[in-house]
Amino acid sequence: MRFRGRDHQVTPREQTGADRAAAWETMRRTWPNYDKYAAQTAREIRVFFLDPS
């Protein structure tokens, strides 16, 4: 993954249950339009944590 011009090794981990709910709340505080995005689809939007390797 590249962030701010630097490469980083990460392992993506899908969030489920309470972890996903907590991450989703953080995402909503960062960008409230996530709820509008989610309302436009019938599927659940997958949420991932990027674990530094």
Side-chain angles (χ1 to χ4, degrees), residues 10-22:
V10 297
T11 302
R13 218 171 0 108
E14 185 171 5
Q15 301 296 283
T16 59
D19 291 333
R20 184 194 182 281

Side-chain angles (χ1 to χ4, degrees), residues 1 3 6-8 10 16 24 30 32-33 37 41 50-51:
M1 177 191 102
F3 179 70
R6 293 178 54 209
D7 289 328
H8 300 271
V10 297
T16 59
W24 190 264
T30 303
N33 283 336
Y37 175 51
T41 184
L50 300 180
D51 192 13

Side-chain angles (χ1 to χ4, degrees), residues 7-52:
D7 289 328
H8 300 271
Q9 293 293 328
V10 297
T11 302
R13 218 171 0 108
E14 185 171 5
Q15 301 296 283
T16 59
D19 291 333
R20 184 194 182 281
W24 190 264
E25 286 304 313
T26 299
M27 292 164 56
R28 290 179 65 221
R29 284 193 304 272
T30 303
W31 192 59
N33 283 336
Y34 274 114
D35 284 332
K36 291 180 185 176
Y37 175 51
Q40 295 175 8
T41 184
R43 68 179 178 86
E44 180 176 85
I45 298 169
R46 296 167 68 187
V47 175
F48 291 86
F49 174 77
L50 300 180
D51 192 13

